[in-house]
Amino acid sequence: MHKKMIAGNWKMNCGQSATSDFINKLEDLLESDETGKRSSKAIESELIEIVIAPPFTSIGAAVAARRSEKINISAQNVHYEPKGAFTGEISLGMLEEAGCKYVIIGHSERRHVFGETNELLERKLVATLESKVLPIFCVGELLADREAGRTETVLRQQLEAAWLSLTSDVVAEMLVVAYEPVWAIGTGKTASDKDADDACGFIRELAQEKFGAATADALRVLYGGSVKPENSAGILAQKNIDGLLIGGASLDVDSFTKIITTSV
Ligand code: 13P
């Protein structure tokens, strides 16, 4: 059984003081009542892994606020070059030094609002896999793709471009893929449990085609898109889904905690 990942992508929300308050409260909740303590045990026995991805300027505050290593920190983006004249960008070495374990790559907002292409994202993914930071690589189709029956074609294009040069051991041990249908992000429209499971199963099939069955089994695949406490347990119970990437509901510490406590 895979370690389940419950990850909160805060996008452009929560400055330093809001971040410290959130981390303090989350740790308090994970130590308080029976459900909190049960989740803490599940974290300690590596059944679930908690990740928070604050904006760059709040990463230091998140790391400083932690009383334990129960909460892992992720960045939301990175540049593939180690240093140089790239105004506004942040390197993998900087993320590592700041205390990040993970980085989100290819979120649909990076693809569709900031125009990041499959080729650019491949460079980011390869650079990340050569660093000490682990990638959470996002894929997902637009509503128009889904309506035109092109979901699998889009997932294939995005993943085949991304893992062109990767080896099976790297994919099995280091890669996390997040399936986030763009039409379900921030819209309140969640994919049905079955649609989410089918798409995550298809991602596993693609991994099997390229890397073999053992790697496909080992690959961790998350679902994201309008996940909230009311639907999280149902999605997480699906065979092909190893975790959740949560936007809006991860900004409220009580809902995020509820998603964690109902996942164990
Ligand atoms: P919502 O949970 O707000 O739909 O956002 C999902 C997301 O984009 C997480 O990366």
Side-chain angles (χ1 to χ4, degrees):
M1 206 177 75
H2 297 174
K3 200 194 295 183
K4 302 265 185 205
M5 179 184 283
I6 309 291
N9 173 14
W10 285 359
K11 309 190 180 184
M12 200 169 70
N13 295 287
C14 295
Q16 299 184 18
S17 82
T19 298
S20 305
D21 291 350
F22 185 105
I23 299 280
N24 286 331
K25 177 129 191 246
L26 177 55
E27 289 198 325
D28 287 347
L29 290 170
L30 291 177
E31 282 160 19
S32 61
D33 57 9
E34 267 320 297
T35 54
K37 286 187 185 138
R38 203 174 63 227
S39 309
S40 277
K41 280 217 180 79
I43 297 168
E44 277 153 21
S45 24
E46 304 201 345
L47 293 172
I48 55 171
E49 184 175 26
I50 311 301
V51 180
I52 297 284
F56 287 131
T57 53
S58 297
I59 287 172
V63 171
R66 285 190 301 185
R67 297 190 294 268
S68 71
E69 302 264 311
K70 271 186 205 144
I71 301 167
N72 297 285
I73 307 301
S74 173
Q76 300 174 15
N77 185 25
V78 73
H79 191 61
Y80 53 81
E81 290 290 353
K83 63 180 179 175
F86 300 102
T87 302
E89 294 294 324
I90 303 275
S91 74
L92 285 152
M94 292 168 190
L95 295 185
E96 189 197 329
E97 191 182 14
C100 290
K101 178 170 179 191
Y102 291 100
V103 59
I104 298 171
I105 297 175
H107 188 276
S108 74
E109 286 141 23
R110 299 302 320 168
R111 291 175 185 269
H112 300 293
V113 181
F114 299 100
E116 296 195 358
T117 61
N118 283 337
E119 292 68 32
L120 173 72
L121 296 172
E122 192 253 350
R123 293 185 78 168
K124 292 188 180 201
L125 180 61
V126 170
T128 303
L129 289 166
E130 286 167 357
S131 79
K132 296 207 172 83
V133 183
L134 297 167
I136 300 173
F137 189 83
C138 302
V139 294
E141 80 287 1
L142 296 163
L143 181 60
D145 295 320
R146 176 156 283 258
E147 286 176 347
R150 284 176 34 86
T151 299
E152 294 190 351
T153 309
V154 170
L155 296 179
R156 181 181 285 279
Q157 281 164 351
Q158 292 175 338
L159 278 170
E160 285 185 350
W163 61 30
L164 198 65
S165 68
L166 304 190
T167 56
S168 55
D169 51 337
V170 163
V171 171
E173 285 159 31
M174 296 164 85
L175 182 63
V176 177
V177 173
Y179 168 63
E180 297 206 310
V182 183
W183 48 270
I185 295 179
T187 58
K189 285 188 203 149
T190 326
S192 69
D193 293 351
K194 181 172 181 318
D195 285 345
D197 190 51
D198 286 351
C200 293
F202 180 69
I203 289 168
R204 245 178 251 293
E205 273 172 46
L206 291 173
Q208 176 159 357
E209 256 176 47
K210 181 154 167 81
F211 303 106
T215 302
D217 279 350
L219 177 68
R220 284 204 283 171
V221 186
L222 317 182
Y223 168 80
S226 296
V227 173
K228 38 189 185 290
E230 298 75 38
N231 60 21
S232 59
I235 299 169
L236 205 51
Q238 302 305 306
K239 174 163 138 275
N240 289 297
I241 299 180
D242 304 314
L244 304 167
L245 184 54
I246 308 149
S250 74
L251 294 171
D252 178 83
V253 71
D254 293 310
S255 343
F256 190 64
T257 307
K258 189 117 196 267
I259 293 173
I260 296 170
T261 54
T262 51
S263 74
V264 291

